[in-house]
Amino acid sequence: MPAIEHDPATDTWLLTTPETAYAFRVEPGGELRHLYWGARLTLPQALAAGRDRPPVFGFDSPWDGTEELPAEGGLRFGVPSLQVRFADGTRAVEWLPDGAATDEDGGQCRLEIRLRDRSYPLGTVLEYRVFDDCDVIERRVTLVHLGDGEPIEVYRADSAAWVLPPLAGYRVSYTTGRWSGETRLRRHELPAGELTLTSRRGITSHHVNPWVMLDDGTAAETAGEVRSVALAWSGSWRITASRTADDRVSVTGGFGHDGARWTLAPGESLTTPVFAGLYTSAGFGAASRGWHAYIRAHVLPRPEETRPVLFNSWEATGFDVCEQNQLELAKAAAAIGVELFVVDDGWFGTRTHDGRALGDWTPNPERFPHGLRPLASAVHDLGMKFGIWVEPEMVNPDSELYRAHPDWVLHFPNRRRTESRNQLVLNFARPEVAAWAHGWLDELIGANDIDFIKWDMNRPFSEAGWPDAPGDAERLWIDHVRAVYAIMERLRTDHPGLRIESCSGGGGRADLGIMAHTDQTWISDNTDALDRIMIQDGYAHLYPPGTMSAWVTDSPNNLTGRRIPLRFRFHVAMAGVLGIGGNLLNWTDAELSEASALIAVYKDVRKVVQHGSLYRLAPLDPEVTAVQYVAGNRAVVLAWRPAPRYGQPARPIRLAGLDPASSYRVEGRDYPGIALLTRGLPTDFPAGDYGSMLAILDKVQK
Ligand code: DGJ
């Protein structure tokens, strides 16, 4: 059971999860001093662990790198988690303890610590939540203006600071990238000073994803202490890891980027997104599995469901979609076992290229003379669900919508409205814009029996102004994102069968925040199977494979020009939620029948892939990369050997997560679990480049 314990004598709090513990103390001066985050221990042990304070040298702060939420003020020189400015110009905060509360709800416990400034009307509530089925600790903060006078300016409102024990050799892992090259894993020494990962784009971004893992340089895939943190937010954000001269390491993170400033009016409050943390002593693999378990249990709206095999038209027909060609593709897709048919961009307004019509969300009368309904019905009659691409937050200046409402976009007076992909961002913080978006989506989904939307977002924010805002215009950075979440939630409630894919030009919006409102993520526009292995590996460091949408597309690949056999392309896409993105009308009969057989195999293994535990067996080995999924009595191994060198030994792949005392049947042969764990599964790659294999292991029942 999770638990929250309190020692009144020292005002120390201890939170325990199934395997871990977390402790901090409320100092008489209102400071929240962190004591412990690691393997599970008792309250007396936590008190002893936190007894010794780090030594303080000249010019140092006694507080830097020790606090749960360092606010600017006093003898502090580190990165503040909280920065405010009161009406008289005072910037420092001085807290007084203002009470605490706990509550228990099913398998969860929540702790609330309240502080208030000793002289100004600012209150804050720090929230902690622990669960009985995972080791993730959720944290967030609410700031409250307790007075009725002047507003308070908020320069920084992070959700939490996570303090790590002082160890030598700290290393940091995270993913960076770009469009079509998202989530590449980086792992290097944590530099002395500050390392800031951030998005100033209004979206999570392709460029860096909002999580970090920290270890002392000795952790490996299967062993070692790893502390990791991840932010549940889909707009601009910032995470800063700090390392002092004496190896005090802490990580503060939250929404907003540097330079953003928000106003807190009297009586108003501001609640930050969750910034969650996870400790494990069992290496990076266990850290990933811990996050996957948490996301399945506490983030995703429908984790129990198994995602269907989809077809998406984007790479097949681009902007040239019409009822006839989509129907032909739908028939071909249904024939090979596809279960969800998605029409991508190009179905609405005068949208025949990316220069116009975003905002005009009615079916193109030339391409769909009777609307979408006939196609949706035909797709349903073929036994598939029907999905559609939308990009609700965007408008092309060449559109009816923009001509009618030029003021609806983000803009400043006297500044350019800079276009990117010929489009501007609609300001969803404006209630009438959010209402308009909800209205046409609701109508579209209801009128056409739409089962699935791919919600895209193809440009970052720029010139993010709102000249006639009724209040604080800069709140749009927050309120836009919240409006997106709210519209998704309303659509889900009113259309209970609706499922949503998050997309932002590929993986620009993959995070714990959007995951609470969506079912799967389009993680990259790069569908080259070789590149994809790396992108998928980075994504799955935090996010579960059951959310990872992956298509098999044509060869040569439209982005890289690489030619890869169909089987390898399938085996890479089968590591997540399988989809087909190629032009099936150009596939040969042999390719279609191979595809049909591979889809059938995927349907047989997908419960394990989508809901099982992921083990990275040979992470990004230049020779062979392999992943394994385990659920119940079944395990599935996918391995890829893109370019073997002649004479290289064909080593067995050592498996993980199996019962050593049981035997497992693989293609009619039984292997002792212990042998698979220690010696490995023999490999069986076809000769030549782009060899791949999929092995299904079933526990032999005694
Ligand atoms: C970007 C997406 O990532 C693609 O899959 C596709 O939907 C295009 N947008 C359509 O414009």
Side-chain angles (χ1 to χ4, degrees), residues 243-263:
R243 183 177 188 174
T244 66
D246 50 354
D247 279 333
R248 291 192 214 170
V249 169
S250 58
V251 188
T252 182
F255 57 9
H257 52 265
D258 51 336
R261 182 199 58 90
W262 300 312
T263 312

Side-chain angles (χ1 to χ4, degrees), residues 572-648:
V572 171
M574 286 159 87
V577 178
L578 176 66
I580 310 292
N583 191 339
L584 294 175
L585 304 179
N586 295 336
W587 288 19
T588 64
D589 287 347
E591 285 172 324
L592 289 170
S593 85
E594 190 179 0
S596 164
L598 286 160
I599 289 174
V601 173
Y602 179 71
K603 288 180 180 170
D604 183 28
V605 300
R606 69 175 157 189
K607 281 213 164 88
V608 182
V609 171
Q610 295 186 18
H611 305 293
S613 299
L614 170 72
Y615 293 85
R616 291 181 286 264
L617 300 176
L620 304 185
D621 186 311
E623 189 82 22
V624 173
T625 301
V627 291
Q628 181 191 338
Y629 307 81
V630 183
N633 292 327
R634 187 167 251 209
V636 174
V637 176
L638 280 159
W640 308 285
R641 190 179 65 160
R645 276 160 293 144
Y646 180 74
Q648 276 297 110

Side-chain angles (χ1 to χ4, degrees), residues 322-471:
C322 65
E323 187 175 320
Q324 191 50 35
N325 67 10
Q326 296 307 292
L327 194 54
E328 281 173 42
L329 280 165
K331 286 180 189 157
I336 59 169
V338 166
E339 300 158 309
L340 162 63
F341 185 84
V342 185
V343 179
D344 209 283
D345 201 348
W347 59 268
F348 53 92
T350 55
R351 180 89 166 165
T352 50
H353 54 77
D354 70 10
R356 64 182 187 215
L358 280 175
D360 301 341
W361 297 104
T362 46
N364 179 323
E366 280 162 30
R367 296 174 162 201
F368 296 91
H370 308 289
L372 291 176
R373 186 91 207 180
L375 178 62
S377 301
V379 166
H380 286 143
D381 289 346
L382 285 164
M384 296 184 290
K385 291 185 183 295
F386 181 66
I388 197 95
W389 175 93
V390 292
E391 196 179 0
E393 298 150 86
M394 291 295 146
V395 65
N396 289 119
D398 185 1
S399 66
E400 296 306 321
L401 182 76
Y402 188 72
R403 285 185 276 275
H405 298 287
D407 51 331
W408 276 13
V409 299
L410 300 181
H411 69 284
F412 286 121
N414 309 313
R415 290 288 173 258
R416 288 185 194 95
R417 298 181 179 201
T418 310
E419 294 173 26
S420 175
R421 208 197 189 205
N422 308 305
Q423 57 200 58
L424 297 167
V425 183
L426 290 169
N427 179 0
F428 270 35
R430 294 180 78 120
E432 72 274 33
V433 179
W436 162 84
H438 170 263
W440 70 257
L441 278 161
D442 183 53
E443 159 72 22
L444 179 78
I445 293 161
N448 297 291
D449 274 346
I450 288 173
D451 306 294
F452 178 95
I453 55 173
K454 174 179 174 188
W455 183 305
D456 203 349
M457 199 297 189
N458 278 299
R459 61 152 293 172
F461 287 18
S462 66
E463 294 106 2
W466 178 2
D468 53 347

Side-chain angles (χ1 to χ4, degrees), residues 498-702:
L498 181 74
R499 299 293 172 263
I500 306 178
E501 182 171 66
S502 169
C503 171
S504 174
R509 203 183 246 168
D511 58 80
L512 298 178
I514 202 75
M515 249 168 225
H517 310 283
T518 55
D519 303 281
Q520 59 193 61
T521 312
W522 178 233
I523 68 164
S524 181
D525 276 348
N526 185 341
T527 58
D528 175 301
L530 190 59
D531 283 5
R532 196 91 186 182
I533 292 174
M534 191 184 275
I535 295 169
Q536 293 183 176
D537 175 80
Y539 176 88
H541 264 72
L542 210 92
Y543 308 113
T547 63
M548 187 170 82
S549 194
W551 309 340
V552 176
T553 54
D554 293 335
S555 180
N557 184 269
N558 71 352
L559 191 73
T560 63
R562 201 161 10 225
R563 289 172 194 277
I564 296 183
L566 192 68
R567 180 180 144 98
F568 189 98
R569 281 178 272 147
F570 260 94
H571 280 166
V572 171
M574 286 159 87
V577 178
L578 176 66
I580 310 292
N583 191 339
L584 294 175
L585 304 179
N586 295 336
W587 288 19
T588 64
D589 287 347
E591 285 172 324
L592 289 170
S593 85
E594 190 179 0
S596 164
L598 286 160
I599 289 174
V601 173
Y602 179 71
K603 288 180 180 170
D604 183 28
V605 300
R606 69 175 157 189
K607 281 213 164 88
V608 182
V609 171
Q610 295 186 18
H611 305 293
S613 299
L614 170 72
Y615 293 85
R616 291 181 286 264
L617 300 176
L620 304 185
D621 186 311
E623 189 82 22
V624 173
T625 301
V627 291
Q628 181 191 338
Y629 307 81
V630 183
N633 292 327
R634 187 167 251 209
V636 174
V637 176
L638 280 159
W640 308 285
R641 190 179 65 160
R645 276 160 293 144
Y646 180 74
Q648 276 297 110
R651 284 186 296 269
I653 301 171
R654 281 177 73 161
L655 304 190
L658 302 179
D659 174 10
S662 295
S663 283
Y664 292 83
R665 188 157 299 160
V666 188
E667 285 180 9
R669 287 189 64 184
D670 289 356
Y671 296 84
I674 185 76
L676 293 168
L677 292 167
T678 54
R679 185 183 149 71
L681 178 72
T683 56
D684 179 23
F685 291 110
D689 285 352
Y690 298 111
S692 61
M693 58 176 266
L694 181 149
I696 304 171
L697 294 88
D698 286 306
K699 200 190 260 186
V700 179
Q701 305 299 327
K702 290 189 188 120

